[in-house]
Amino acid sequence: MPGSTEQLAAHGPACADGLSGMYGPENKADVVIIGAGPAGLAAATELRRCGVQSVVVLDREPVAGGIPRHCDHYPYGLREFSRLLRGPAYARRLVAAALAAGVRIHTGVSIQSLTSGPVLTVTSDAGVRVVHAQRVLIATGARETSRAARFIGGTKPGGVVSTGALQGLVHLEGITPFHAPVVLGTELVSFSALLTCRHLGIRPVAMIEPGASTTAFWPARWLPRILGIPLLLKTELLTIEGESTVSGVTIRRPNGDIERLNADGVIVSGHFRPESAILLSSHIELDRQTGGPVVDQFGRCSDPDFFAAGNLLRPVETAGWSWQEGKAVGHAIAQSLEGKLPGLTTGIAVELAGGSLKYVVPQRIVPTDVPPALDSFQFRVSHKAQGRLCLSIDGARKTVKSLSAVPERRIRVPLTVLPRSPTGTATFELVESDR
Amino acid sequence: MSADHRNSQFDIAVIGAGVIGCAIARQFTLEGARVVVIEKAPDILDGASKANSAILHTGFDAPPGSIEASCIAAGHAEYLKIHERLGLPLIKSGALVIAWTEGEEQRLPMLMERARENGVEDVQFLSAGQTHELEPELAEHVKASFTVPREYVIDPWSAPYGYLLQGLANGAVIKRNCEVKGGRFDGVRWKLDTVQGQISATTVINAAGLYGDIIDQKLTGSTRFSIKPRKGQFIVYDKPASALVKHILLPVPNDVTKGVVICRTAYGNLLVGPTAEAQDDRVNAALSETAMTALRQRGEEILPALADHDVTAVYAGLRPATEFKDYQIHAHEGLNYITVGGIRSTGLSSALGTAKLIYQRYLESGEAFQPPATIQWPRVSNIAENYPRDWQCEGNKGIVCHCELVTRREITEALEGPLAVRSIGGLKRRTRATMGRCQGFYCSAELAKMTQPYFDAAGSTVRSHAGIN
Ligand SMILES: Cc1cc2nc3c(=O)[nH]c(=O)nc-3n(C[C@H](O)[C@H](O)[C@H](O)COP(=O)(O)OP(=O)(O)OC[C@H]3O[C@@H](n4cnc5c(N)ncnc54)[C@H](O)[C@@H]3O)c2cc1C
Ligand SMILES: Cc1cc2nc3c(=O)[nH]c(=O)nc-3n(C[C@H](O)[C@H](O)[C@H](O)COP(=O)(O)OP(=O)(O)OC[C@H]3O[C@@H](n4cnc5c(N)ncnc54)[C@H](O)[C@@H]3O)c2cc1C
């Protein structure tokens, strides 16, 4: 796809300038999108397709494309481009499609704060500026949870990285940080780490999973075996050892034995968290359970001029899912600009009861005939659970479906389980059957 | 005087570039001495001074009459005097010493009395109700408290860096990656053997922190104390948590433990810690899950709202404690040698005062110098949150570390400017890059690219700075 590369290159110098003079002296746009990942770019492209005049995407990285930029492996692009692509090629295609649709993308621009208006404070090489928009889409994605936030004990040598950091080092800078690391976690992204290792001739010494089975399903069955990497289930990573670089780790095996593994690095993978930093200090309501903003079925935040899509909504989905969500929420923003969305005031809250459901998105439903952008409730469970998924509205309880669920797998229920004009609070609960 | 001459003919050799060594180097340089600071690590502040609570103590609870008490008082006063000229931050938070049990409440009057004895007259008793009025987020079961209005928060890294920078700007020399292996005093001068060859100076000041006793042994054949490292672990909450409290929350110390402190940082976070754990290892301050979990729990007992906040960083430091309570400051007669050891848990506060004291000790047997005609006051680039930061200015070249808002220009300055950093640890302490909520998820690659040419040249490997955590 030479076209996209050229456009990207042509886009380069403009990026370096950050915001300076790029969209008029008043720094205004109809829609400003924060984050040039799959969700943000899909929304931007869709907004232009719907005829919205000025659509601007801002991203703090030097290059647009989001996380896939450094995921130099498959599978990306099936849903969007009907072909199997590696992350970087996929990211370039998304950028090219947005530029071709007339979206303006500015990189090296970091959003610092959000206030009603909507007014954004942004910073770039030009210093601090204020940007006005009619609507804002926040699509800042998700990141993995650090070693620190997981309270993993031991010393703090170099060579302890998340998958995202590893892939950045490898694919963006050509650095091989270690040769024999331990991989903690068995989510999809953990297998992405294995692929990256293989690409560089790095031989992980083990993959460690505290749970009784791998979190991700399809690659877990064969990938470690093919690569000859021991998969240690029901095993905890206790401490990391080493002074300037990792020298080993201690682990607790299922029988309680504590063992030491020699390793020169640790890949601390998964446990995604929405990158909601700019929301923390804003007026927009956050959901403790997802870690992202509270949204309605249009992806609208508690301030209806702000929308959200992609992995910011919840940890964690694929790029294709985020793209689809971005596109749908982009469409809803166009409708909102035309005054076609119902007001937020009449909505009902969607809540969870019991211990096994971890989160639900959307957290608010507004009764309306306008088709939703998010057409199903998305759930995750915090532990393996089996039972009936029940819904209570104003004291009346019904069974939605029976469910057998494991962590980090998609659980969807169409929004149509709700009555046409619900009132009060809708509470979902997974009533576990006795085991 | 030629540069060569300067390099080989030092009046003072300071061993160790911790906060104490940096302050002593500044003091002697401003008095007119030719000073060399010798540090074994690639960067300054790599020992005990790497990790602390960053409180500028008044010394209200120090043992009255101790060397420590007088150094803290003098250090606190001097910091207030010079911080603006050096561009060093000061967060005037004040502290509350809080009693959570009746037993603790009974000890408050005694502690207030001790504070007054230490010259900290402005302490004030508060009832439970008054305490809650000041700090509404505190847990219900507060019994009483007293305020210590002049306990402040500072930046633990830019302060000593500023001291040394001023020393360097006025003629001091620093040698890094330069471990002192031994040395001899020939009756007139010292010849120190280092991994970079011999360094000669009239007087040696041992400010080797966690290695103070070992340096004493090596250079004088004996030591009057032994270092017993005492580890302190901390957990750091994300920035929104810092809005929960205004004051530094200090516990009532008892004989067993000093207890857990809750304190805002100069960077806008909230920290909870430290633990106090004796160990033999002088190098590694290992974190333990149990301790971190216990801190989290204690934090929530004090400030219940912390349950809704994220911990984004954890760290541990080692105090250079000894078998004695007080600082170990000894001038060795006829040897031109002063030991400044056992500065265990208040060195950041006392450093400038300790440096003054050491200069007085020096004058008891050494000759005064000719102070420079004019004194240079370099300014440190600010990384504290309440002061203007580079990301807010034009020409910052964009942000690299998004969580701590560290700009490309700041990183370049740290890599190329005065006392250029030579390790990822040094870069973190100078700029705070990677120390925020994502802990390197977003910026590791860009940082590795930026630092690679510099650190490779200094002999570090890519591997040691690629994995940032
Ligand atoms: C290591 C790894 C491997 C993966 N492998 C696959 C795979 O093989 N297949 C797959 O389908 N999915 C994969 N994923 C998941 C996929 O990358 C994500 O689902 C997708 O990128 C989410 O898109 P998004 O637009 O929501 O967020 P992102 O792609 O994260 O984009 C968010 C953008 O927002 C920007 N941003 C954030 N905050 C600000 C701010 N304050 N100001 C300005 N800009 C900001 C960021 O710079 C970023 O560019 C992988 C993820 C990781 C981490
Ligand atoms: C958990 C904790 C919390 C604390 N909180 C506070 C606080 O809130 N307020 C406060 O005022 N203080 C606090 N402190 C105390 C303060 O950090 C210490 O008192 C201070 O850092 C001691 O500094 P130093 O210069 O004596 O030692 P160090 O920082 O250890 O400096 C000694 C230097 O000497 C170097 N060195 C050693 N051997 C050699 C050799 N052979 N050759 C060359 N160089 C050598 C080392 O590399 C090191 O850089 C705290 C300490 C800890 C651990």
Side-chain angles (χ1 to χ4, degrees):
Chain A
M1 253 209 350
S4 69
T5 343
E6 262 168 43
Q7 270 168 302
L8 257 188
H11 187 64
C15 298
D17 278 329
L19 267 178
S20 44
M22 293 306 293
Y23 42 96
E26 59 298 85
N27 281 345
K28 254 186 359 205
D30 293 333
V31 181
V32 169
I33 291 168
I34 308 170
L41 292 171
T45 309
E46 176 67 13
L47 277 156
R48 286 288 302 146
R49 208 189 56 80
C50 296
V52 175
Q53 264 305 310
S54 66
V55 179
V56 167
V57 182
L58 305 178
D59 199 291
R60 62 191 185 183
E61 293 298 332
V63 179
I67 299 257
R69 274 183 310 127
H70 55 65
C71 300
D72 196 2
H73 54 70
Y74 305 105
Y76 280 98
L78 269 183
R79 195 191 293 240
E80 306 85 323
F81 303 112
S82 311
R83 44 188 289 198
L84 206 52
L85 296 168
R86 288 172 177 273
Y90 167 73
R92 284 196 295 274
R93 277 209 178 205
L94 290 176
V95 172
L99 291 175
V103 172
R104 281 172 291 166
I105 305 174
H106 303 287
T107 57
V109 182
S110 173
I111 283 66
Q112 295 307 322
S113 70
L114 313 171
T115 41
S116 55
V119 179
L120 313 181
T121 317
V122 308
T123 178
S124 67
D125 183 51
V128 178
R129 301 263 191 113
V130 167
V131 176
H132 299 266
Q134 293 189 54
R135 299 288 184 276
V136 171
L137 172 68
I138 316 164
T140 49
R143 61 165 194 267
E144 292 165 281
T145 298
S146 70
R147 175 234 169 136
R150 299 182 198 212
F151 284 181
I152 297 171
T155 55
K156 291 170 85 179
V160 183
V161 295
S162 59
T163 320
L166 171 70
Q167 295 197 335
L169 288 166
V170 169
H171 295 302
L172 302 181
E173 310 304 343
I175 290 168
T176 305
F178 34 56
H179 301 286
V182 158
V183 180
L184 176 63
T186 55
E187 295 179 33
L188 270 178
V189 67
S190 321
F191 296 96
S192 159
L194 292 190
L195 291 175
T196 300
C197 288
R198 194 175 73 142
H199 175 82
L200 284 177
I202 296 172
R203 287 283 309 235
V205 294
M207 199 168 196
I208 296 175
E209 167 59 47
S213 57
T214 57
T215 309
F217 186 64
W218 62 266
R221 283 282 166 85
W222 51 268
L223 199 54
R225 216 172 340 130
I226 287 187
L227 300 179
I229 299 164
L231 175 62
L232 308 181
L233 296 174
K234 294 191 196 161
T235 301
E236 277 170 81
L237 177 59
L238 296 179
T239 61
I240 296 174
E241 297 172 356
E243 282 178 24
S244 64
T245 56
V246 175
S247 61
V249 298
T250 55
I251 56 174
R252 189 189 290 118
R253 302 287 287 133
N255 60 5
D257 285 357
I258 293 186
E259 288 173 16
R260 188 178 182 285
L261 294 179
N262 283 325
D264 65 355
V266 182
I267 303 172
V268 180
S269 74
H271 285 218
F272 278 86
R273 306 223 357 112
E275 173 62 357
S276 50
I278 47 172
L279 294 166
L280 294 176
S281 56
S282 78
H283 63 300
I284 292 167
E285 189 186 345
L286 272 174
D287 176 6
R288 271 303 285 176
Q289 289 164 326
T290 57
V294 169
V295 292
D296 71 2
Q297 74 266 39
F298 301 105
R300 263 189 312 189
C301 301
S302 58
D303 175 341
D305 292 335
F306 290 83
F307 290 71
N311 277 339
L312 174 68
L313 287 183
R314 102 269 79 195
V316 54
E317 266 297 349
T318 61
W321 180 287
S322 301
W323 177 86
Q324 178 64 46
E325 220 164 48
K327 190 173 166 200
V329 173
H331 190 80
I333 297 174
Q335 288 177 303
S336 159
L337 284 168
E338 291 167 19
K340 288 187 185 154
L341 295 191
L344 255 187
T345 43
T346 53
I348 68 154
V350 182
E351 290 177 356
L352 299 177
S356 29
L357 294 176
K358 196 162 77 169
Y359 64 67
V360 58
V361 178
Q363 301 89 338
R364 174 175 274 279
I365 297 293
V366 181
T368 176
D369 289 331
V370 183
L374 313 175
D375 60 3
S376 56
F377 291 110
Q378 306 168 38
F379 302 92
R380 291 280 198 284
V381 287
S382 47
H383 55 260
K384 190 171 177 184
Q386 217 169 47
R388 292 174 298 120
L389 181 65
C390 298
L391 168 63
S392 321
I393 299 181
D394 283 340
R397 174 147 133 178
K398 68 172 180 182
T399 297
V400 176
K401 63 174 177 184
S402 58
L403 196 66
S404 168
V406 293
E408 295 313 319
R409 299 289 162 77
R410 255 176 221 159
I411 305 165
R412 304 175 63 178
V413 170
L415 297 190
T416 48
V417 292
L418 289 186
R420 264 188 65 82
S421 297
T423 53
T425 300
T427 305
F428 286 99
E429 178 175 3
L430 179 55
V431 181
E432 288 187 63
S433 37
D434 298 332
R435 271 173 291 177
Chain B
M1 196 185 302
S2 77
D4 271 8
H5 184 58
R6 278 197 80 102
N7 274 339
S8 52
Q9 295 291 313
F10 295 106
D11 298 316
I12 307 285
V14 179
I15 303 176
V19 62
I20 297 295
C22 291
I24 291 174
R26 169 181 179 272
Q27 179 76 35
F28 277 82
T29 306
L30 299 190
E31 299 291 351
R34 290 160 301 169
V35 175
V36 60
V37 182
I38 309 171
E39 169 56 54
K40 71 173 176 186
D43 277 301
I44 67 169
L45 310 178
D46 202 51
S49 306
K50 174 154 59 178
N52 55 53
S53 325
I55 302 173
L56 184 67
H57 291 296
T58 52
F60 77 93
D61 62 346
S66 61
I67 301 177
E68 181 179 24
S70 69
C71 287
I72 298 174
H76 187 282
E78 184 71 4
Y79 187 85
L80 295 199
K81 226 194 270 172
I82 68 169
H83 80 95
E84 275 176 357
R85 288 187 85 178
L86 289 175
L88 302 174
L90 180 71
I91 289 89
K92 292 192 167 183
S93 53
L96 286 179
V97 179
I98 303 176
W100 295 100
T101 63
E102 269 161 32
E104 289 178 353
E105 189 178 358
Q106 280 160 14
R107 292 167 53 89
L108 292 185
M110 186 272 286
L111 284 169
M112 292 176 69
E113 192 42 47
R114 180 186 294 178
R116 292 191 193 98
E117 253 180 273
N118 281 323
V120 183
E121 310 275 352
D122 50 357
V123 291
Q124 207 190 338
F125 181 85
L126 299 180
S127 66
Q130 290 168 318
T131 308
H132 265 130
E133 231 164 81
L134 265 191
E135 294 290 358
E137 294 289 343
L138 283 175
E140 284 298 320
H141 64 292
V142 173
K143 290 279 183 283
S145 70
F146 67 87
T147 59
V148 192
R150 289 176 299 114
E151 292 268 307
Y152 298 144
V153 171
I154 64 176
D155 173 350
W157 299 309
S158 68
Y161 169 61
Y163 308 158
L164 184 57
L165 204 58
Q166 190 176 24
L168 299 181
N170 289 282
V173 171
I174 173 133
K175 301 218 178 274
R176 287 177 286 171
N177 280 318
C178 190
E179 183 175 356
V180 173
K181 293 289 208 184
R184 284 166 314 288
F185 182 62
D186 64 9
V188 184
R189 300 185 65 77
W190 274 94
K191 298 231 167 19
L192 294 178
D193 300 319
T194 78
V195 293
Q196 291 185 30
Q198 212 168 59
I199 296 174
S200 165
T202 312
T203 300
V204 166
I205 298 174
N206 167 9
L210 292 157
Y211 295 83
D213 52 348
I214 293 176
I215 288 290
D216 267 4
Q217 276 289 355
K218 277 190 179 152
L219 298 188
T220 71
S222 67
T223 181
R224 297 203 218 163
F225 60 92
S226 45
I227 292 290
K228 306 193 178 304
R230 201 184 301 148
K231 180 167 71 183
Q233 305 187 46
F234 294 92
I235 59 175
V236 184
Y237 284 83
D238 203 354
K239 297 187 195 281
S242 71
L244 297 176
V245 277
K246 295 187 284 291
H247 293 78
I248 300 164
L249 308 181
L250 299 173
V252 172
N254 62 35
D255 295 338
V256 192
T257 155
K258 258 200 135 182
V260 170
V261 176
I262 297 189
C263 172
R264 285 192 291 162
T265 70
Y267 321 112
N269 301 82
L270 190 77
L271 63 80
V272 178
T275 58
E277 306 158 68
Q279 64 173 46
D280 292 330
D281 191 333
R282 298 176 192 236
V283 181
N284 294 307
L287 296 155
S288 84
E289 202 218 317
T290 356
M292 293 185 278
T293 308
L295 285 175
R296 172 139 213 165
Q297 195 182 338
R298 183 67 194 131
E300 289 175 21
E301 281 164 18
I302 297 171
L303 282 181
L306 276 181
D308 287 337
H309 289 264
D310 292 332
V311 172
T312 52
V314 294
Y315 66 96
L318 297 177
R319 305 170 185 89
T322 70
E323 63 272 50
F324 303 104
K325 279 221 151 113
D326 208 353
Y327 290 2
Q328 294 300 298
I329 293 181
H330 306 292
H332 300 246
E333 210 139 309
L335 256 189
N336 292 6
Y337 182 94
I338 305 175
T339 302
V340 194
I343 316 290
R344 44 174 196 169
S345 50
T346 50
L348 181 66
S349 312
S350 77
L352 294 168
T354 305
K356 279 183 187 294
L357 175 72
I358 300 306
Y359 186 63
Q360 282 156 20
R361 286 290 173 88
Y362 164 82
L363 283 183
E364 286 167 12
S365 59
E367 271 174 45
F369 306 99
Q370 176 73 44
T374 54
I375 288 179
Q376 303 298 318
W377 287 86
R379 281 181 70 84
V380 175
S381 321
N382 171 57
I383 54 170
E385 178 127 318
N386 326 25
Y387 292 77
R389 288 273 312 271
D390 193 48
W391 63 267
Q392 295 159 320
C393 306
E394 208 177 316
N396 60 45
K397 303 272 190 288
I399 292 173
V400 175
C401 166
H402 299 291
C403 303
E404 293 299 311
L405 302 174
V406 185
T407 67
R408 197 163 274 107
R409 179 164 63 184
E410 283 175 315
I411 289 168
T412 307
E413 189 195 304
L415 290 167
E416 293 180 351
L419 203 56
V421 297
R422 291 172 178 180
S423 64
I424 191 70
L427 182 69
K428 286 160 85 166
R429 294 193 288 274
R430 192 73 62 77
T431 65
R432 281 196 58 75
T434 76
M435 300 187 77
R437 50 179 81 86
C438 91
Q439 298 274 300
F441 177 84
Y442 292 110
C443 67
S444 289
E446 183 67 13
L447 270 182
K449 177 166 100 177
M450 288 188 75
T451 55
Q452 205 168 3
Y454 299 91
F455 294 169
D456 278 349
S460 298
T461 63
V462 174
R463 288 171 54 200
S464 67
H465 62 265
I468 293 154
N469 68 96

